[in-house]
Amino acid sequence: MTIALDQNRPARSYREVTRWDRLKTNRNWLAIWFMLPAAAFLILFLAYPLGLGVWLSFTDARLGRDGVFVGLENYEFLWDDTTFWLSVFNTLLYTSVASIIKFAVGLYLALLLNERLPFKAIIRAVVLIPFIVPTVLSAIAFWWLFDPQFSIISWSLKKMHVITTNIDFLGDVWNARASVIFANIWRGVPFVAITLLAGLQTVSPSLYEAATIDGATPWQRFRFITYPLLTPIIAVVMTFSVLFTFTDFQLIWVMTRGGPVNATHLMATFSYQRAIMSGYLGEGAAISTAMIPFLLAAILVSWFGLQRRKWQQGENND
Amino acid sequence: MATVGIHDVRKAFGLTPVIHGVDVDIADGEFVVLVGPSGCGKSTLLRMIAGLENITGGEITIGGRVVNNLPPKERDVAMVFQNYALYPHMTVAANMAFSMKLRGAPKNEIDTRVNRAAAILGLGPYLERYPRQLSGGQRQRVAMGRAIVRDPQVFLFDEPLSNLDAKLRVQMRTEIKELHQRLKTTTVYVTHDQIEAMTMADKIVVMHDGIVEQIGSPLELYDKPANQFVAGFIGSPAMNLIKGKIVVNGVASFEGPNGVKLPLGSAPENSNGRPAVYGIRPEHFTIADDGAEAEIVVVEPTGSETQVFAKLGGDEVVAVFRERHKFNPGDKIRLKPDQSVVHLFDEATGKRLTA
């Protein structure tokens, strides 16, 4: 079969397709360029400092003096350092107690705010306040609240004749630990509460209605509907909460500087003290690097928690 | 199975009343459809029966027992929601078993009931799937299965088919009706689709702005609409409603816009000159030489019938013919209403005038 072509159409001239032409339209090549700014940012401010930190931990660098490679010497030294182990214990105690209470209180507040409440918008704004106030500012406020002489808590309790002498909030080992944990909880609850509230609001109200008609009590509605549907968000929010708490520095540094007698030293504050205050950069870096396995463990736990459950998957995965 | 009584039921959200005293009696085993345009209060009424909304005034009884202050689980009703409300984290079997599990029923009884419901609905092969892995129609069936497993006194359906595509909707309509014929459970079904109401119901309750406009069997509503609202709401295409006045001059007739004369079988006494609304269904027009002249505007053939939109007097009317006429827009035709099936409504109140 022949097709009649318009013979009068002017012939177009085509140029040979070069390698450069092909590269210009290559999606992968373009993708690299689009990713470059973000990648540069991450490498410069995240990967490089992290790598440098790890490298420093294998050297005997001091402030103002480049170190030489000393292998695991810093770690061997830390292994026999009781203060280091105390800081590990403190960090684990601080993280676990604060995270569990933050989760419980945050979940409670989220469930409360998800109900029909008068002045809900105002209450929600109030809940967020601790999160908005700069950490250092709230730490200073707590420092005053827990002041050995001028503490308003001691003053009030004395007025109510509950106690006769001031409570030594930050001077006693366990009081100090409880005080900083309390401050951390106060600061961390809004994040947990608001994120969980967002999660709760994605649950369709008709599911609760269906469950109500199916005969579920409020507790059963929570246990069988809310909780299972909320687990993916709980996993995310608690991972972040644990990471932030584990690496906390500001609150402790402002309130106690790790005292009394290192009772509230976390790994982060201890590392800072060794590296910057005392100038032993290598040793400080080793303390920081020692946090990595703990953080990785926390991330792994959440990674397994976050794995898409069967009910979240699409049609092809049965 | 049980009767359901709704007596002078009222509902207000805050200060805004939405249901102004509704009375409906539902017999044991009856399939009752609440139908009306959106915002008429039909879903609210259903949710009051279910116990999801509290009752501002009046009384609701199920099986002769006043349930006003009973929580949903003690009312022994099952509800199918518009969006199905399936628990996404439970398998089909677990979804259906949930209510019995909460009640602490023995496992073998749960299994028996779930398998029975699955067999009725053809869900056997899907019992271990999650809702996400099902099609719309299958999810709809699971929602019904959840209701069947309960073996409740009353089934409540809240617009269950509106999320399905047109073809599936027709199929599920038949399935629900079949299911009702098989189980004979009292059913209250809410829809805004008058075809669903007509095809499924033993009894239709037409609601509008929080009141009941008419209660009756589908054909009663179709043949004798109590007022202009029901006349216009039931039937598709809708009844033609022509404003004008009754003329009794030896024989009764109706004078439409621009003096169009329309035949009347009979007129109420002393109604000469009374302003009224003349209702005639599209299929009750015939082409006849003594008909009123009309000009065709649009012709819509559907195959089985042809819908003709025409200007009659100044009003646009629609006529439906089963026979195939050769019509073209602009043609003049003579439309003659069948005077034995004419409906007359009061112009001011909208109430039916003819018997």
Side-chain angles (χ1 to χ4, degrees):
Chain A
M1 201 173 99
T2 53
I3 299 165
L5 288 172
D6 185 355
Q7 297 296 327
N8 299 329
R9 214 165 64 181
R12 284 237 193 114
S13 64
Y14 291 106
R15 163 169 83 74
E16 196 74 10
V17 177
T18 61
R19 207 173 251 269
W20 173 240
D21 286 323
R22 252 186 252 145
L23 204 56
K24 270 196 298 192
T25 54
N26 185 310
R27 297 168 68 98
N28 292 336
W29 172 255
L30 283 174
I32 288 173
W33 284 99
F34 285 137
M35 286 190 295
L36 206 60
F41 199 82
L42 289 174
I43 290 168
L44 197 63
F45 293 109
L46 235 84
Y48 171 70
L50 183 69
L52 187 64
V54 175
W55 163 251
L56 279 176
S57 75
F58 294 113
T59 68
D60 61 353
R62 299 260 196 111
L63 269 187
R65 192 195 80 184
D66 283 344
V68 292
F69 183 78
V70 292
L72 292 173
E73 203 175 281
N74 286 324
Y75 294 96
E76 280 160 17
F77 185 74
L78 282 179
W79 189 264
D80 299 320
D81 184 346
T82 48
T83 317
F84 169 72
W85 287 112
L86 181 64
S87 78
V88 172
F89 166 77
N90 288 337
T91 310
L92 291 175
L93 179 82
Y94 184 76
T95 307
S96 49
V97 173
S99 295
I100 289 169
I101 297 178
K102 272 190 274 193
F103 172 65
V105 177
L107 183 62
Y108 173 76
L109 276 176
L111 290 169
L112 201 69
L113 287 173
N114 201 34
E115 296 292 315
R116 272 188 225 161
L117 274 185
F119 312 113
K120 194 157 121 178
I122 295 173
I123 298 173
R124 197 154 44 189
V126 169
V127 166
L128 267 175
I129 286 177
F131 197 51
I132 302 164
V133 179
T135 312
V136 175
L137 212 62
S138 49
I140 290 172
F142 272 107
W143 187 41
W144 272 107
L145 283 176
F146 294 141
D147 189 272
Q149 276 189 58
F150 306 110
S151 164
I152 191 165
I153 303 167
S154 294
W155 180 83
S156 310
L157 289 174
K158 273 201 302 200
K159 284 279 167 199
M160 288 189 283
H161 303 288
V162 179
I163 52 169
T164 50
T165 52
N166 277 0
I167 300 172
D168 190 6
F169 284 106
L170 299 177
D172 173 83
V173 170
W174 284 100
N175 278 357
R177 283 177 181 150
S179 301
V180 290
I181 287 174
F182 181 85
N184 179 276
I185 291 167
W186 181 84
R187 213 187 132 61
V189 157
F191 170 70
V192 179
I194 294 296
T195 316
L196 291 182
L197 177 63
L200 282 175
Q201 286 174 344
T202 64
V203 180
S204 160
S206 65
L207 290 184
Y208 294 119
E209 293 182 342
T212 308
I213 290 180
D214 273 345
T217 59
W219 163 249
Q220 285 171 325
R221 285 204 293 275
F222 174 77
R223 168 73 189 77
F224 295 115
I225 310 291
T226 313
Y227 181 71
L229 291 178
L230 214 53
T231 39
I233 285 172
I234 292 176
V236 177
V237 86
M238 288 323 290
T239 309
F240 276 103
S241 180
V242 165
L243 295 188
F244 291 153
T245 314
F246 198 91
T247 56
D248 199 4
F249 174 83
Q250 296 180 63
L251 261 181
I252 304 289
W253 198 250
V254 174
M255 285 174 70
T256 65
R257 300 232 162 177
V261 251
N262 301 325
T264 59
H265 246 319
L266 302 186
M267 289 169 85
T269 52
F270 188 52
S271 158
Y272 180 79
Q273 195 184 46
R274 274 286 156 87
I276 309 297
M277 309 296 282
S278 317
Y280 294 99
L281 278 181
E283 229 175 279
I287 298 167
S288 283
T289 308
M291 291 164 79
I292 293 176
F294 292 102
L295 297 176
L296 276 180
I299 291 169
L300 273 181
V301 167
S302 81
W303 191 74
F304 283 112
L306 265 182
Q307 278 199 323
R308 280 155 74 80
R309 285 155 187 79
K310 210 168 179 206
W311 55 269
Q312 292 177 305
Q313 290 169 347
E315 281 150 47
N316 306 322
N317 300 298
D318 50 333
Chain B
M1 282 183 277
T3 58
V4 176
I6 297 166
H7 304 297
D8 194 29
V9 164
R10 288 158 195 281
K11 174 75 187 175
F13 288 111
L15 291 173
T16 320
V18 290
I19 294 179
H20 318 275
V22 163
D23 287 277
V24 186
D25 278 306
I26 298 167
D28 191 6
E30 207 168 21
F31 196 114
V32 170
V33 174
L34 306 179
V35 68
S38 20
C40 71
K42 56 192 190 298
S43 278
T44 309
L45 185 60
L46 190 81
R47 291 166 60 82
M48 285 199 282
I49 300 173
L52 296 174
E53 300 281 355
N54 49 29
I55 299 163
T56 311
E59 203 175 81
I60 292 180
T61 60
I62 295 175
R65 190 169 57 132
V66 177
V67 296
N68 282 32
N69 295 315
L70 286 185
K73 69 174 195 173
E74 283 168 40
R75 298 187 185 200
D76 201 8
V77 296
M79 186 154 166
V80 175
F81 292 82
Q82 180 175 354
N83 61 2
Y84 321 131
L86 300 181
Y87 310 123
H89 55 296
M90 297 185 196
T91 61
V92 169
N95 259 285
M96 295 206 278
F98 188 58
S99 61
M100 299 199 63
K101 190 179 147 198
L102 292 178
R103 234 182 295 159
K107 195 173 177 320
N108 53 354
E109 195 197 330
I110 295 180
D111 288 346
T112 321
R113 291 236 212 152
V114 167
N115 287 330
R116 180 177 148 261
I120 292 175
L121 295 162
L123 284 172
Y126 308 108
L127 281 176
E128 292 314 312
R129 295 221 187 163
Y130 287 90
R132 274 193 70 138
Q133 300 165 309
L134 301 177
S135 69
Q138 288 165 341
R139 285 181 210 180
Q140 177 62 59
R141 265 186 223 127
V142 176
M144 291 200 288
R146 210 163 56 176
I148 293 172
V149 167
R150 298 270 311 276
D151 194 16
Q153 306 255 34
V154 183
F155 280 140
L156 304 173
F157 288 88
D158 189 5
E159 308 222 13
L161 304 184
S162 40
N163 282 5
L164 300 178
D165 64 57
K167 197 175 163 193
L168 206 51
R169 206 177 303 159
V170 174
Q171 187 193 331
M172 291 306 294
R173 202 163 78 192
T174 319
E175 273 187 38
I176 293 177
K177 198 170 175 181
E178 234 173 62
L179 190 71
H180 176 252
Q181 281 161 3
R182 184 165 170 178
L183 302 173
K184 298 204 168 43
T185 307
T186 312
T187 302
V188 185
Y189 185 107
V190 162
T191 179
H192 61 266
D193 179 353
Q194 54 96 15
I195 296 184
E196 251 171 56
M198 293 293 283
T199 49
M200 299 171 87
D202 293 325
K203 186 154 92 185
I204 297 180
V205 179
V206 182
M207 291 184 68
H208 181 216
D209 284 347
I211 57 158
V212 170
E213 295 279 0
Q214 190 174 1
I215 301 178
S217 73
L219 293 181
E220 261 169 50
L221 260 57
Y222 191 81
D223 293 337
K224 286 212 158 74
N227 52 45
Q228 218 178 301
F229 176 78
V230 177
F233 191 77
I234 300 287
S236 171
M239 184 189 283
N240 298 298
L241 296 165
I242 302 160
K243 278 187 184 171
K245 63 178 187 212
I246 300 168
V247 177
V248 185
N249 189 2
V251 285
S253 68
F254 187 86
E255 194 181 307
N258 297 328
V260 178
K261 280 265 185 280
L262 295 166
L264 266 186
S266 62
E269 275 176 44
N270 301 326
S271 61
N272 189 16
R274 180 175 181 173
V277 175
Y278 185 94
I280 183 77
R281 294 213 179 268
E283 65 269 32
H284 294 146
F285 278 118
T286 49
I287 303 282
D289 291 340
D290 58 343
E293 194 183 75
E295 186 187 325
I296 294 177
V297 182
V298 175
V299 180
E300 291 181 349
T302 64
S304 64
E305 55 186 35
T306 306
Q307 296 182 11
V308 177
F309 295 83
K311 285 263 185 220
L312 181 78
D315 274 11
E316 188 160 295
V317 294
V318 55
V320 170
F321 300 105
R322 294 204 66 98
E323 59 273 25
R324 298 202 172 169
H325 297 287
K326 276 238 178 272
F327 288 140
N328 288 306
D331 286 359
K332 295 267 198 292
I333 52 170
R334 290 196 164 271
L335 287 175
K336 186 184 179 193
D338 178 351
Q339 64 180 36
S340 65
V341 285
V342 164
H343 311 264
L344 268 186
F345 303 101
D346 187 90
E347 197 186 3
T349 63
K351 289 250 184 316
R352 184 181 185 83
L353 292 175
T354 39

